[in-house]
Amino acid sequence: MQKIIFFSIIIFLTSACNTSQEKKVEASKTDQATTNSQDKKLVEQIFYNVPSPLEMAQMTRDAGMQFNSELTNPTEKKQYYIDQTTQALNLGVYGADLSYARIFDQVQEAVNFLAVIRELTESLQIPQDEETFALDKLEKHINNRDTLLHIITEIYSDMDIYLKENNRGIVAAMIITGGWIEGNYLALQSMNKEKPNEKVLRRVAEQKLSLASLIELIKPHVRTNHKSGQILADLEELYVIYEDVTIETKNSGIETDSGKGKTTIKGNTRVEIDQETLQSIQSFINDLRKDITNP
Amino acid sequence: MKNAIIIILTALLSFTLIGEAQGQCRKYTKKSCVPKLDPYIFNGQVNSALLNEGDIAELMLTFYADQEYRVLVCAEDQLGNVNFKLKDINDKVLFDNSKHEMASLWDFTSNTTQQIIVELEIPESDEAGEKLKNGCVAILVGFKETE
């Protein structure tokens, strides 16, 4: 009976680790608990998120950038995406392109991206909600910005749920990675190289923070001697470049405007990035994006 | 031989039940939690897990300056009121729902881009000998589209 209980516990721990994107280190937890029981409670689950590509696209629009269809990944390239990792990465790329098109009200472009996304989800054997993907429904509501936004959100959250539920966290992680790379690529390419827009430049520098989260998010899923392992190594190399970016934040408190019902975290941030670092980041992301979209 | 079969069957059963429970948890997140983000746009990343009383979970995310956000902590009823805090990377508490009638969500803007940690803790049962509570908990983030 003891054997049965022990074996069940092992299975439980293995399953818990495999089905979540979060870090959970039971051994070190036990060690720490015995050596320093007075410490504050240990965290059972740690989740890492990265901002949505929609947020990045929104910022480029708000900063006065224009839509440029030549920057997005051509839809006909989908035929070259054969293996699962490449398909997942490009599913993320097209998702960021879809967000970019939606934010700039390029509805026909958005419909084209949606069609490729549908094909890639099929190739990756991710079940689709026919209702969500119904292109006729989309075309019917072509001028309804909210419907399109709702569809984008629904597709990507449904995929995330399905993949995590089915122990395919690596695919979910690669979709997020592709979206992060493309979102940054679009912002960097939209920028005037001679005289970069202050707001975009700042946002590019701030990606140091989301890159750190992205690395932690994918780390538990990647395998060595696998394409995902190479992606992680590339992102870690990019982070080394980002180490030259300075970000110092000091929060001073919370301010609530009861009239508007808004709460603001007040503070100051010092962000510094020099021209050389910016160029290195641009060049690295260009190469990384090229590797992903031209396998 | 008989023992080996029992062990394998028990292991398979445990594995199936855990997988099933985690699947149910994600379904609960989609049906009961995601709609509560409205009118904010869900960032699409599902952070949900089965937790026991006394457990602590954290979510780390970069929040952009001047963007409006909603952080939602959604837990199954049997877990009671879940305490959650938002802390900056210097461990400074920015929000504590225990000071806001245990609200399950917080809407805010930050005037600086920064990493914020959302920390939640499942309350422990007061009564000794009571069965250990567990259930599904999700931490979700939504943002608002600017016009």
Side-chain angles (χ1 to χ4, degrees):
Chain A
M1 189 58 190
Q2 272 180 336
K3 273 184 188 172
I4 295 172
I5 293 166
F6 178 69
F7 196 45
S8 302
I9 291 168
I10 294 289
I11 290 292
F12 174 83
L13 296 179
T14 313
S15 165
C17 292
N18 286 345
T19 53
S20 59
Q21 64 174 35
E22 49 283 353
K23 245 190 318 197
K24 185 181 179 190
V25 187
E26 286 293 331
S28 63
K29 181 184 162 184
T30 314
D31 293 346
Q32 285 176 39
T34 48
T35 53
N36 195 353
S37 59
Q38 297 307 308
D39 271 357
K40 85 177 222 189
K41 285 183 184 176
L42 289 150
V43 178
E44 191 74 11
Q45 305 274 349
I46 303 177
F47 302 100
Y48 292 94
N49 269 198
V50 293
S52 151
L54 262 168
E55 289 179 78
M56 196 67 165
Q58 189 167 271
M59 182 277 307
T60 55
R61 183 201 60 193
D62 294 349
M65 308 285 107
Q66 299 298 312
F67 179 80
N68 181 355
S69 63
E70 287 177 13
L71 295 180
T72 57
N73 193 31
T75 51
E76 53 272 20
K77 274 194 186 171
K78 66 172 187 295
Q79 58 182 308
Y80 303 116
Y81 307 144
I82 312 293
D83 66 277
Q84 283 220 353
T85 308
T86 308
Q87 286 170 344
L89 285 164
N90 282 285
L91 193 47
V93 167
Y94 285 124
D97 288 342
L98 173 62
S99 301
Y100 178 60
R102 155 62 180 78
I103 289 292
F104 285 91
D105 290 321
Q106 303 295 315
V107 183
Q108 191 49 54
E109 298 262 359
V111 172
N112 297 341
F113 290 126
L114 204 58
V116 184
I117 288 166
R118 183 184 182 138
E119 286 181 48
L120 283 174
T121 53
E122 269 173 10
S123 306
L124 281 164
Q125 294 173 317
I126 302 169
Q128 300 161 9
D129 182 339
E130 287 304 319
E131 182 67 13
T132 306
F133 268 108
L135 294 178
D136 54 341
K137 179 181 129 189
L138 184 65
E139 277 155 8
K140 197 173 156 192
H141 298 282
I142 207 152
N143 292 318
N144 188 334
R145 303 177 84 241
D146 291 340
T147 303
L148 187 49
L149 190 62
H150 178 75
I151 288 170
I152 297 172
T153 310
E154 182 124 337
I155 290 171
Y156 280 85
S157 55
D158 279 359
M159 275 198 277
D160 202 56
I161 289 175
Y162 173 80
L163 292 167
K164 286 173 182 167
E165 211 169 273
N166 289 278
N167 297 337
R168 293 173 69 191
I170 180 66
V171 178
M174 289 298 108
I175 293 171
I176 292 168
T177 304
W180 186 89
I181 293 168
E182 182 73 354
N184 280 280
Y185 171 81
L186 293 170
L188 285 160
Q189 290 300 311
S190 305
M191 212 161 65
N192 182 331
K193 307 285 182 296
E194 307 302 316
K195 201 180 166 198
N197 177 297
E198 193 60 35
K199 201 173 175 184
V200 183
L201 183 62
R202 195 180 171 92
R203 186 57 54 89
V204 166
E206 290 166 350
Q207 294 307 307
K208 180 181 183 180
L209 305 177
S210 60
L211 177 58
S213 290
L214 179 64
I215 290 169
E216 293 304 322
L217 187 155
I218 70 170
K219 226 178 237 176
H221 303 290
V222 300
R223 297 192 292 274
T224 44
N225 301 322
H226 185 262
K227 194 163 186 171
S228 56
Q230 184 54 49
I231 292 288
L232 174 63
D234 289 339
L235 294 175
E236 285 173 334
E237 205 180 324
L238 177 60
Y239 192 79
V240 173
I241 302 173
Y242 263 107
E243 277 176 350
D244 289 332
V245 174
T246 305
I247 303 178
E248 284 173 7
T249 303
K250 201 174 175 191
N251 290 310
S252 51
I254 305 295
E255 200 175 276
T256 305
D257 182 338
S258 43
K260 290 179 182 167
K262 279 188 173 180
T263 304
T264 306
I265 301 169
K266 292 281 184 187
N268 294 305
T269 305
R270 186 169 70 91
V271 179
E272 281 176 14
I273 179 168
D274 59 39
Q275 191 62 27
E276 196 185 334
T277 307
L278 175 65
Q279 279 172 0
S280 303
I281 291 169
Q282 270 177 328
S283 156
F284 200 97
I285 289 188
N286 279 359
D287 291 347
L288 196 50
R289 197 263 192 181
K290 205 169 161 184
D291 286 348
I292 291 170
T293 56
N294 302 299
Chain B
M1 185 61 187
K2 197 178 167 187
N3 280 350
I5 292 168
I6 292 169
I7 290 169
I8 291 165
L9 286 175
T10 309
L12 284 172
L13 184 65
S14 308
F15 190 77
T16 310
L17 289 175
I18 291 158
E20 179 86 359
Q22 277 159 347
Q24 290 301 324
C25 183
R26 296 213 162 94
K27 281 191 183 82
Y28 165 78
T29 305
K30 189 184 173 189
K31 284 215 158 72
S32 306
C33 306
V34 174
K36 290 180 186 163
L37 284 174
D38 190 56
Y40 290 72
I41 303 158
F42 179 33
N43 77 355
Q45 291 158 67
V46 179
N47 318 294
S48 59
L50 285 167
L51 295 178
N52 296 315
E53 58 183 87
D55 280 353
I56 293 176
E58 283 183 354
L59 165 72
M60 184 175 261
L61 175 61
T62 304
F63 291 86
Y64 290 137
D66 305 324
Q67 179 75 266
E68 288 181 66
Y69 289 103
R70 169 169 289 181
V71 168
L72 169 74
V73 172
C74 183
E76 287 184 300
D77 291 343
Q78 70 268 24
L79 292 174
N81 288 327
V82 176
N83 174 219
F84 79 96
K85 292 175 187 156
L86 267 74
K87 301 191 294 187
D88 67 15
I89 52 160
N90 300 315
D91 226 26
K92 181 177 179 173
V93 176
L94 304 167
F95 175 81
D96 182 344
N97 76 332
S98 67
K99 292 175 182 159
H100 297 269
E101 298 167 337
M102 301 304 281
S104 61
L105 53 85
W106 191 44
D107 297 342
F108 69 98
T109 304
S110 170
N111 67 358
T112 62
T113 295
Q114 60 178 312
Q115 274 181 308
I116 291 178
I117 300 157
V118 183
E119 182 190 279
L120 68 82
E121 184 168 359
I122 309 298
E124 285 182 85
S125 180
D126 295 334
E127 290 169 42
E130 201 177 282
K131 197 182 161 197
L132 186 75
K133 289 182 295 186
N134 66 23
C136 180
V137 183
I139 315 175
L140 302 177
V141 177
F143 61 96
K144 254 192 185 167
E145 188 185 16
T146 53
E147 290 305 321

